[in-house]
Amino acid sequence: MQSAAPGPASGWEDLATLVRRLMQDAGASGGMLFLLPPRERALQLSMVYGTSWHIVAPWARIRVEEAVPVAEATRERRLVWVGSPEELALHYPRLALVVPDHAVAAAPIIASGAVRGTVCLLWPSWHPTSLDRGEREAIDTFCHQAGLVLKRAVAGGHPLLPEDRPRVLEPVRSHTLGQGEALAAYDFAARLPGALSLDLEGRITFLNDAAADLLGVRAADLLGARPWERLQWLGDPTFEDRFRAAVISRRPAHFTAVRPLDRRLSFQLYPDASGVSIHIVPLPHAPPAEPERPNPSPAEQTGATTLYHLMHLAASLTEMVRMEDVADRIADQLVPAFGVSGLALMTADDGRLRVVGHRGYPPAFMARFDGESLSSSAPPARALTMQRPLFFASFDEFKHAYPNVVRYGGRNAWAFLPLVIHGRPVGLLVLSYSEARRFPPTERNLLISVAGLIAQALDRARLYDAKHNLARTLQNGLLPRRLPAIPGLHVAARYLPAGRGMDIGGDFYDLIRCDATSAAAAIGDVQGHNVQAAALMGQLRTAVHAHAAAGAPPSELLARTNRLMCDLNPGLFASCLYVHLDLTQHRARLATAGHPPPLLRRPDGRTEILQVPPGLLLVITPDADYAGVEIPLPPGTTLVLYTDGLVEAPGIDIDHAIAELAHQLAQAEDDDMDTLTDTLLQYASHGIPRSDDIAMLLIQPDRAVCLSAVPDE
């Protein structure tokens, strides 16, 4: 009897078991598991072990193109190892803000040939600067087994997809205490002069009577709370900062605090994978000191975690270039930093507000604000036109100021922050909260400062998007707007820009009607990603088109084109593959100038990589010769031309990638040209953004058609 496919719950349990085993076998102090959903370009944090969710929240979502080990392991499909804090700070400064003094390893999880996730492990700084054999084997074993779990989940119809919050795994314990041992451990802790235990999120899970007496409160009033949030005199960021440092570094920490009436207390912190134990010891009374201002309330404090999130936001905004990147990163950082329930980012365009990103609101609710006039009396328009932030501590206060305000759900506090550059408004940030909020001066000033950082990032992103769109428009103008309709040929073409960067590339394709009985196809790639490469691409495509229309055979066409390009002396090389199609004899002649080999699938499904005599890249020497080859091309045969962006990526052997592409072509069941093209593109991308553009051209003779009577178009 066949057993039922595992459901999503069992799949998650299997992954959790594998993560715990990896942490033990590799001796890591902490770890994170990221999943990459199909057709997504961002890794999402799905499991956390040995550290706090609040600490790793800035890394809940990582774009595959980012410069961090997890993303690099995903892109390059290899283990990435950072063996020292110095190397971490030098190459990954933003990550070093989160986990200073650590060694880091990241490895991809591959299922069915595609990267479906990545695991990241952390070790304290005293770890050797290289991984030992056992650690590498533990990582390799985990990635293999995790890949099988993900593959089984897909096959069973229950793919494991990231959830709203990552699963925080309980640590592996060496053994389970019996009742007698548990009571003895409790008695031991109860007798200590001041014992306190916090979980990894900083919440108190145990304190004995002596600790409660030293802190000046009843134990029942502190259980489940964070000390720095409940005790006003511990509201200084020092406690939270020392706690966070202990959780991250796994090293003991210490600080001294003064309770009201000058009672000095020493706090010793001892961390492990489950939390932090604290020993509180009273110290001699502090000597008389100058009067200090009263301690601010917890609401007026800027906690260490908040400062940490803002520092991380400031660093990450310098790397963001696209509008969507800025909106996503702001939401990722500000929501956990300030306890925000809803967030909306808007720009000011042509006298109207445009919503460019939001979090915590349904699209239908935000749609009513998109396109709102800046002359409106609504709060968003008023805040932006006045260039003055608006804060509302409660709904009653908001309703009093704006009687017609539209409220979403049970939101009870709002901040409208204009984004201004040199007196010029560029957008608006709106934050909403579920609970009423006083917005004390310290928090208001922080939010206004954050708005300044966001305004700069948003202005850069708008400039980038404008340049990017201009560059793409230029490049698209150099490519054929549509392919000519040639009787007897089914064709499909695709052009995909690179996954990162704003520069335009030099990839091109073309289909040319030569005369009544023949056609030609060309594909090529100019070195570089800039306007010069695009301009040379336009010249190259024009030269090939002109020589093809004149009837030059493939080898002569490439030689003529090469001499012309050398005369232009562009300083860039280019590859080109040219195919002449005899539509009556069903034959093709090909020649190549350093271009990847085409693929050929016969009507019976047999597929091969065509071996075209190699030729030098164009613009190397004007005297280069190019040899041609002739092949049969009967009806139903599919010829696949492509640029190297389809098969070339860091860590991937290009010959192996071409062979795998040929295998996928042979296995494809649909002969529809557009569907087949999309199938090959989807397989080749593996869900990972490429660093190079991709051009593809598929050609398939339909049937024997006598074209001699068809007038030349």
Side-chain angles (χ1 to χ4, degrees), residues 243-310:
F243 167 79
R244 187 171 65 88
V247 169
I248 293 173
S249 68
R250 291 291 172 83
R251 288 181 171 177
H254 167 264
F255 72 96
T256 300
V258 180
R259 216 185 88 183
L261 302 179
D262 293 334
R263 184 157 197 191
R264 297 173 67 229
L265 299 175
S266 169
F267 292 80
Q268 300 280 349
L269 284 66
Y270 302 95
D272 71 359
S274 63
V276 177
S277 297
I278 300 178
H279 185 205
I280 308 174
V281 178
L283 298 175
H285 287 287
E290 294 183 6
E292 297 182 357
R293 68 176 180 87
N295 285 326
S297 68
E300 294 174 322
Q301 288 288 350
T302 303
T305 296
T306 298
L307 291 173
Y308 151 74
H309 280 288
L310 294 181

Side-chain angles (χ1 to χ4, degrees), residues 511-536:
L511 183 68
I512 307 157
R513 177 67 180 273
C514 297
D515 56 36
T517 62
S518 65
I523 193 163
D525 184 4
V526 177
Q527 170 195 18
H529 287 82
N530 49 41
V531 174
Q532 184 183 7
L536 181 60

Side-chain angles (χ1 to χ4, degrees), residues 92-178:
Y92 310 100
R94 198 154 53 88
L95 178 59
L97 292 176
V98 185
V99 286
D101 300 328
H102 269 71
V104 178
I109 301 168
I110 299 175
S112 301
V115 177
R116 297 304 181 200
T118 303
V119 66
C120 180
L121 289 81
L122 306 174
W123 290 267
S125 58
W126 55 80
H127 185 281
T129 55
S130 61
L131 288 170
D132 63 32
R133 181 177 178 180
E135 292 166 339
R136 286 185 176 273
E137 289 180 351
I139 295 172
D140 290 343
T141 300
F142 169 83
C143 291
H144 173 71
Q145 294 178 342
L148 293 177
V149 170
L150 295 177
K151 185 177 180 179
R152 284 199 304 269
V154 171
H158 301 284
L160 300 182
L161 300 175
E163 300 171 318
D164 292 337
R165 286 281 292 265
R167 300 183 178 217
V168 180
L169 304 182
E170 290 293 323
V172 178
R173 301 187 182 277
S174 56
H175 68 283
T176 302
L177 294 178

Side-chain angles (χ1 to χ4, degrees), residues 177-192 195 197 205-210 219 223:
L177 294 178
Q179 182 178 7
E181 288 180 292
L183 289 173
Y186 176 82
D187 291 339
F188 170 79
R191 289 191 293 266
L192 290 174
S197 179
T205 57
F206 170 83
L207 74 163
N208 62 13
D209 292 338
L223 283 174

